[in-house]
Amino acid sequence: MTANLLDYDLEGLAGYCERLGEKRYRATQLFRWIHQKGASHFDEMSDLAKSLREKLKSSSEVRALTVKAQHISADGTIKWLFEVGGGDVVEAVFIPEADRGTLCVSSQAGCAVGCRFCSTGHQGFSRNLSAGEIISQLWFAEHFLRKHLQSADRVISNVVMMGMGEPLQNYTHLVQALRVMLDDHGYGLSRRRVTVSTSGVVPMMERLGLDCPVALAVSLHAPNDALRDNLVPLNRKYPIAELLQACKKYLQFAPRDFITLEYCMLDAVNDSPAHARELVQLLTADGDATWCKLNLIPFNPFPASGLARSSHKAISEFAKILMDAGLVTTVRKTRGDDIDAACGQLAGDVKDRTEVTKRMAKQRVIVLTPEFVQAPKPVTERANG
Ligand code: SAH
Ligand code: SF4
């Protein structure tokens, strides 16, 4: 198969150009055409020599994922389903807010970790996405949104690796894609605005700190090993003490001075005041409550889980106990749940026809309407955060 130029970070593309007998700096021009201008045809790349364009045409392409469907939520959230072959799809979700535009990106088709409360986990693991397939989600979303919002400015200011899959179990491709996101000739996102979320692949957390220290979120979900073993099976391999140690180590490299800890609020499973107190003990054991920020995520139910979302009352009582102990705590606002775009609802399961039909009936499946064009506003970079 011909090379996919979306697979390369700038360094990789420079190597590719060299192999074609071209100067390395040509790669910068090419990279900017692809990622900054969204070009996918070499003839668009007007300042590249015709001879180079011909060489590129015969050996490579800009091969983005194809969009199978696009769903727009009443709150402006947009979900795209991308085909990745073999009947699998992965999903990316754009979340517009007043001061930022966030894209939630998938790293794998399915996931091998198998968390009990996660619909992707229930689906099982199909395969790792290539670097090109990961960056393709941003490439498509950014240029699609720019075009349809008629924006000359960047629309996506933040990326969270919180879609389908465990990013640290697809480490090499993840890091290649992150490099493209961060590169000034690519998307130019700051390290603070790119977040990798992990269920706790301890050795890879350390490597990420060395190779590409972006912001880190860790899915904790339980204050003790017995409960976490049950919710996040990977805990049996990397228990909480090792995980927290890895978090603290990561702080030496992190672009922010805290790690985000995600905690999915499950009714009568991990949401009691006793759990909250145990969590306080765990996180402040060395007398410091400032090294992390808690993000409580109301569970987004799906039928096969057999689990329910904690009540508002339970969530606010839980949050109060944490805050009273000095732990910075936020409750995540659920976005796009009318289109199954909320955390953990990304099953991407087109194999289940009945489910898809049910979903389609429930959702507005929009291709492109003037209503969409007006929906999210382009965002401009904030000075901080
Ligand atoms: N695999 C990575 C990133 C993808 S999941 C990880 O687990 O961190 C992104 C976040 O959504 C994680 O914190 C995950 O625990 C959470 N999540 C998964 N299923 C959920 C559900 N049904 N409701 C709410 N949050 C969920
Ligand atoms: Fe995988 Fe994350 Fe879902 Fe767990 S929560 S199954 S690690 S995607």
Side-chain angles (χ1 to χ4, degrees):
M1 208 193 275
T2 48
N4 183 4
L5 299 187
L6 290 176
D7 275 326
Y8 296 120
D9 58 14
L10 185 52
E11 190 55 34
L13 199 59
Y16 185 76
C17 285
E18 268 183 342
R19 289 196 292 282
L20 291 182
E22 296 283 336
K23 294 273 187 293
R24 287 173 72 87
Y25 75 86
R26 291 281 176 214
T28 308
Q29 279 176 296
L30 183 54
F31 197 74
R32 291 170 67 102
W33 270 110
I34 297 170
H35 295 291
Q36 294 192 340
K37 300 194 183 126
S40 56
H41 298 293
F42 297 116
D43 285 332
E44 291 172 66
M45 307 181 182
S46 46
D47 60 357
L48 293 188
K50 192 149 188 293
S51 58
L52 171 57
R53 280 188 264 151
E54 292 307 320
K55 276 189 218 170
L56 288 168
K57 266 192 234 172
S58 63
S59 65
S60 66
E61 57 185 331
V62 179
R63 197 164 53 241
L65 290 173
T66 42
V67 179
K68 191 178 175 74
Q70 168 179 286
H71 306 288
I72 302 181
S73 160
D75 67 13
T77 301
I78 306 172
K79 178 172 86 170
W80 291 284
L81 281 89
F82 295 95
E83 263 168 319
V84 293
D88 285 315
V89 297
V90 297
E91 308 185 347
V93 180
F94 174 66
I95 306 147
E97 288 174 282
D99 61 345
R100 69 184 71 186
T102 304
L103 189 72
C104 177
V105 170
S106 294
S107 55
Q108 298 179 315
C111 181
V113 177
C115 300
R116 261 185 63 195
F117 50 84
C118 174
S119 146
T120 309
H122 276 245
Q123 180 193 333
F125 176 68
S126 285
R127 67 171 177 87
N128 280 331
L129 298 188
S130 65
E133 288 169 329
I134 298 173
I135 206 66
S136 185
Q137 299 166 59
L138 176 59
W139 181 87
F140 170 81
E142 174 64 32
H143 297 293
F144 174 89
L145 290 166
R146 257 194 232 176
K147 185 163 161 214
H148 291 284
L149 298 170
Q150 290 167 354
S151 168
D153 298 329
R154 182 162 77 187
V155 179
I156 294 167
S157 58
N158 295 59
V159 168
V160 292
M161 296 301 307
M162 294 186 185
M164 297 167 70
E166 168 47 58
L168 296 187
Q169 289 188 339
N170 184 14
Y171 186 79
T172 309
H173 296 160
L174 169 76
V175 168
Q176 264 170 285
L178 292 177
R179 291 202 169 117
V180 180
M181 294 176 197
L182 301 181
D183 201 306
D184 283 340
H185 298 295
Y187 298 86
L189 297 178
S190 88
R191 290 194 292 128
R192 301 156 56 85
R193 288 169 171 269
V194 175
T195 302
V196 168
S197 176
T198 179
S199 56
V201 190
V202 165
M204 293 299 148
M205 288 165 64
E206 190 167 350
R207 276 189 64 186
L208 187 69
L210 296 168
D211 292 341
C212 193
V214 293
L216 186 68
V218 170
S219 297
L220 187 60
H221 307 311
N224 61 61
D225 283 322
L227 185 52
R228 195 165 189 271
D229 280 351
N230 188 274
L231 295 175
V232 184
L234 191 66
N235 194 68
R236 294 177 204 144
K237 196 160 181 197
Y238 307 114
I240 292 177
E242 281 181 37
L243 179 59
L244 297 189
Q245 215 177 3
C247 286
K248 295 199 174 167
K249 210 161 177 188
Y250 194 87
L251 280 174
Q252 298 167 21
F253 310 100
R256 295 175 181 268
D257 56 5
F258 61 88
I259 305 286
T260 303
L261 299 178
E262 296 160 285
Y263 195 104
C264 181
M265 298 296 293
L266 300 160
D267 181 47
V269 173
N270 64 356
D271 67 343
S272 72
H275 288 125
R277 287 190 292 271
E278 197 180 354
L279 193 59
V280 167
Q281 284 291 316
L282 178 74
L283 300 179
T284 61
D286 59 7
D288 177 17
T290 64
W291 69 273
C292 60
K293 286 191 182 175
L294 268 295
N295 192 207
L296 306 182
I297 315 173
F299 170 60
N300 294 307
F302 59 99
S305 71
L307 297 163
R309 179 185 291 186
S310 304
S311 67
H312 283 301
K313 187 163 167 285
I315 297 177
S316 53
E317 281 175 12
F318 195 92
K320 185 168 185 311
I321 294 170
L322 302 181
M323 287 189 284
D324 286 349
L327 290 161
V328 176
T329 305
T330 50
V331 178
R332 187 176 295 173
K333 219 169 52 182
T334 297
R335 298 284 305 256
D337 50 358
D338 55 333
I339 56 166
D340 286 352
C343 301
Q345 289 184 320
L346 307 183
D349 193 358
V350 286
K351 290 172 191 154
D352 181 347
R353 300 283 164 206
T354 45
E355 185 54 29
V356 169
T357 318
K358 257 191 304 188
R359 278 203 210 171
M360 294 290 187
K362 188 165 91 177
Q363 289 161 10
R364 298 184 297 151
V365 180
I366 299 173
V367 176
L368 265 186
T369 65
E371 173 199 6
F372 162 64
V373 176
Q374 285 157 17
K377 292 236 163 24
V379 287
T380 43
E381 182 89 6
R382 278 193 315 166
N384 58 347

